[in-house]
Every structure is written in structure tokens, then in C-alpha cells.
Amino acid sequence: MTTPTQDTRDRVIRMEGKIEQLERKIDDLDAKVTEMYQLLTQAKGARWMLMLMIDMCDFVIDKIVPIIQSIPGK
């Protein structure tokens, strides 16, 4: 039979083990959230770059089409 002191001690030891597991899980989740934040930040920059490239292509097409249309046909 265990004494109340031993029972309390065993419970505290188990709780400490569970807390260590939770701390490892939280650290793992923190690393994953940080990585996702970095990816989203990069994606935001890539979106702006894509919009800029689309605008540049649109500008070039607007300038080239009249030149091509002015070339006499067959």
C-alpha cells in the first residue's frame, strides 16, 4: 500500500513528464508557425512581383500591337 506522500510524489513526477511533453509539442508548433509565417511573407512579396511583371507585359503588348498592325500585309 502506498502512503499519501508517495502517491502525491508519483503524481507530481507523472505531471512533470507530461509538462515536458507539452513543452516539446509547443516548441514544435512554434517552429511550424514561424516557418508558415515566413512562407506567407515570401508569398506576399512574390504576389507583388507577379503583379509588377503582369503590368510590364501589358505595357509591352500595348506598345507592340500597334506596330505589328501597321506592317503592311500580303
Side-chain angles (χ1 to χ4, degrees):
M1 186 169 147
T2 60
T3 64
T5 305
Q6 285 176 329
D7 186 45
T8 303
R9 182 174 168 254
D10 291 342
R11 293 170 87 189
V12 168
I13 290 171
R14 280 187 302 219
M15 188 175 13
E16 287 174 348
K18 289 181 181 181
I19 289 173
E20 288 175 3
Q21 288 176 344
L22 286 173
E23 286 175 344
R24 283 193 295 269
K25 285 183 182 181
I26 289 172
D27 289 341
D28 186 44
L29 288 173
D30 179 52
K32 289 178 182 179
V33 168
T34 302
E35 185 177 342
M36 284 190 294
Y37 175 76
Q38 290 173 347
L39 286 173
L40 289 173
T41 303
Q42 290 173 356
K44 189 176 183 181
R47 184 183 73 199
W48 284 107
M49 183 59 70
L50 181 62
M51 290 172 52
L52 179 64
M53 290 172 58
I54 290 171
D55 286 344
M56 288 173 50
C57 288
D58 186 43
F59 175 77
V60 170
I61 289 171
D62 285 345
K63 297 300 178 188
I64 290 178
V65 168
I67 294 171
I68 292 175
Q69 288 177 348
S70 68
I71 296 174
K74 297 179 184 176

